[in-house]
Amino acid sequence: MKTGFIGLGIMGKPMAKNLMKAGYGLVVFDINPDPMRELAAAGAETASSPKEVAEACDVIITMLPNSPHVRAVVLGPDGVIEGAAPGKTVIDMSSIAPLASREIASRLAEKGVEMLDAPVSGGEPKAVDGTLSVMVGGKKEVFDMCYPVMKAMAGSVVLTGGIGAGNITKLANQIVVAINIAAMSEALVLAAKAGVRPELVYQAIRGGLAGSTVLDAKAPLVMDRKFTPGFRVNLHIKDLGNVLETSHEIGAPLPLTAAVMEMMQALKGDGLGEADHCSLVRYYEKMSHVEVNR
Ligand code: NAD
């Protein structure tokens, strides 16, 4: 099966490489020529537009920043829709607004093209390892057909409902991660300000009820002052924007998410938009005039 991959950034490039490792023939496109050159050197074919990718492939994967980018690549001039034909499938693995997924899917359906929304969790290390968690929305038969392609990049691939459900699941994931990082930041800043070593607090609590994947992934980075991304504050702001837009539309108030969104906006204002989202600790450090070190 020939597979197309559009969007070869932090996540897309290693995901595309894992597809090739699994034996899929690959056609790639990105507006940035550098990752295209790298993938071509590894054996992929390159295309000059999303339309050309769609003409050449049965399954077209997109891994782009947000809804406007996916709309432009799929529905815009020289877009996937211009090269797609009945029987082809688009798998959008970007994290975008669920309503945008539904709109794009219905435009593709008019041309007989199927779509799954299949955002991922796990970040760059798991994209490289091929152990991402994929949360998928779409028809069961399309999911079953595309499962092996997604599994080549992932540890788990779970269908959570119809089209849009993948991105609703991803928004739920991003709520839990954001609020967890804020909670960890409050705890470590409290410890540092009270004169108790954050490293010892971390070791003491990580095996109990307060332990979490977020705590284990982010507390060491914070204590070592490593704020290179990982996952950028600006991308988390994008996700929380999609969370709040969706929650307001359906009437589900999310006060904790709204509070963390404002903290992230403050970080962006302080020039930390491109830093890792564990920079949330620096919002608290500024207020308490303390730094969290081991
Ligand atoms: P990125 O900015 O590194 O990569 C995006 C890529 O898309 C870039 O290479 C860019 O050149 C390309 N692009 C943008 N517009 C394009 C267009 N019109 N045509 C073709 N290519 C275009 O972003 P990323 O970190 O790889 O994230 C991609 C998606 O995955 C986002 O939705 C993000 O929220 C999600 N995500 C990221 C992480 C992470 O840890 N980085 C984790 C989980 C999910």
Side-chain angles (χ1 to χ4, degrees):
M1 180 194 284
K2 202 145 201 193
T3 307
F5 209 109
I6 303 171
L8 305 166
I10 292 179
M11 299 295 285
K13 191 170 69 175
M15 290 164 71
K17 285 183 177 171
N18 282 331
L19 282 178
M20 282 202 291
K21 269 188 220 151
Y24 288 97
L26 208 64
V27 181
V28 297
F29 177 71
D30 195 295
I31 46 173
N32 178 359
D34 294 340
M36 289 241 280
R37 273 195 284 273
E38 198 178 320
L39 267 292
E45 288 173 45
T46 57
S48 58
S49 68
K51 176 185 173 183
E52 217 177 279
V53 174
E55 281 167 350
C57 298
D58 311 298
V59 169
I60 303 105
I61 297 172
T62 47
M63 192 54 171
L64 298 157
N66 198 7
S67 317
H69 308 83
V70 180
R71 270 205 192 90
V73 162
V74 177
L75 304 177
D78 268 339
V80 168
I81 199 163
E82 291 186 9
K88 300 198 180 205
T89 304
V90 172
I91 309 177
D92 178 37
M93 303 191 79
S94 329
S95 305
I96 71 170
L99 286 174
S101 298
R102 288 183 188 142
E103 275 168 41
I104 295 165
S106 76
R107 288 284 305 282
L108 287 169
E110 289 166 13
K111 281 203 79 176
V113 176
E114 297 290 352
M115 175 170 155
L116 299 173
D117 64 313
V120 307
S121 162
E124 188 185 16
K126 291 189 175 232
V128 172
D129 289 356
T131 56
L132 291 165
S133 300
V134 188
M135 16 207 147
V136 190
K139 293 179 195 155
K140 174 83 168 71
E141 63 272 22
V142 181
F143 172 83
D144 288 341
M145 198 250 305
C146 295
Y147 182 84
V149 181
M150 295 184 282
K151 191 69 178 64
M153 301 175 276
S156 80
V157 183
V158 178
L159 182 67
T160 60
I163 188 79
N167 272 303
I168 292 283
T169 309
K170 173 69 184 181
L171 295 184
N173 182 84
Q174 294 305 78
I175 292 172
V176 173
V177 172
I179 295 172
N180 253 279
I181 298 177
M184 174 197 76
S185 300
E186 290 197 4
L188 295 180
V189 164
L190 172 79
K193 188 76 179 179
V196 179
R197 279 182 57 200
E199 163 72 7
L200 299 179
V201 171
Y202 166 58
Q203 292 301 342
I205 70 175
R206 62 185 290 261
L209 194 54
S212 68
T213 307
V214 163
L215 189 69
D216 282 337
K218 300 298 181 182
L221 294 181
V222 164
M223 293 187 292
D224 292 336
R225 315 307 291 167
K226 288 186 178 157
F227 297 110
T228 47
F231 192 73
R232 298 186 188 98
V233 168
N234 281 337
L235 274 182
H236 217 141
I237 285 177
K238 178 265 295 186
D239 287 337
L240 296 187
N242 286 336
V243 169
L244 294 170
E245 187 189 317
T246 305
S247 70
H248 292 159
E249 220 159 287
I250 61 176
L254 303 176
L256 288 177
T257 303
V260 180
M261 171 64 139
E262 293 309 304
M263 294 173 202
M264 293 214 183
Q265 296 286 352
L267 288 178
K268 185 179 175 183
D270 273 348
L272 294 173
E274 291 300 303
D276 190 77
H277 53 173
C278 70
S279 300
L280 263 181
V281 75
R282 291 160 81 176
Y283 170 87
Y284 286 99
E285 289 174 342
K286 198 171 168 184
M287 290 191 294
S288 296
H289 306 288
V290 72
E291 191 174 289
V292 174
N293 293 293
R294 284 196 190 266

